[in-house]
Amino acid sequence: EAQLVQSGGGMVQPGGSLRLSCTTSGLTLGMFDMNWVRQAPGKGPEWVSGITIGGYGYYIDPVMGRFTISRDNTKNTLYLQMNNLKPEDTAVYYCARRYGNSWSGSDLWGQGTQVTVSS
C-alpha cells in the first residue's frame, strides 16, 4: 500500500524557519510530480508548491522567495524548507502526489502536520 509519511512542523516565531519532510513507502518518489498543500483554520485547501520529476519547483506568490521545495529520490523523501515564516503561514501542511494536468490536483495525501507561526 502506497503511503506518504510526514515529519517536521511545529511552532515558531515570525521570521523563523521550519523544514517539512515527506517520505514515501510503497511507491517510488522519483516517478511522480509532488505537491505541498496547506489548510488554514476556517479555510479551504490551498496549493502551496509543486515539484516536477526533474526537480523544478513552482510556488504561489505569497511564499515565493521564502519557501523551497526539493526532493531526494534516493531517499524517497520530499521536503519543504520554509524561511521567514509569517503568521499567515499557519496551517496544516500536507504533502501529496500530483494527479491530473493541474498542479492543484492530488490523489494521495500525507497525514498532515501543523505549522503554527506566532509570537
Side-chain angles (χ1 to χ4, degrees), residues 7-9 12 15-22 36 38 48-49 51 58-59 62-71 77-85 89 93 115:
S7 60
V12 66
S17 298
L18 287 172
R19 189 176 79 159
L20 307 183
S21 300
C22 172
W36 286 99
R38 68 186 179 187
V48 174
S49 179
I51 188 168
Y58 296 88
Y59 306 89
V63 308
M64 188 79 70
R66 300 189 296 119
F67 289 13
T68 303
I69 189 170
S70 63
R71 63 195 301 160
T77 301
L78 175 73
Y79 303 98
L80 185 68
Q81 177 66 44
M82 304 183 292
N83 298 329
N84 191 21
L85 282 160
D89 296 318
Y93 284 71
V115 171

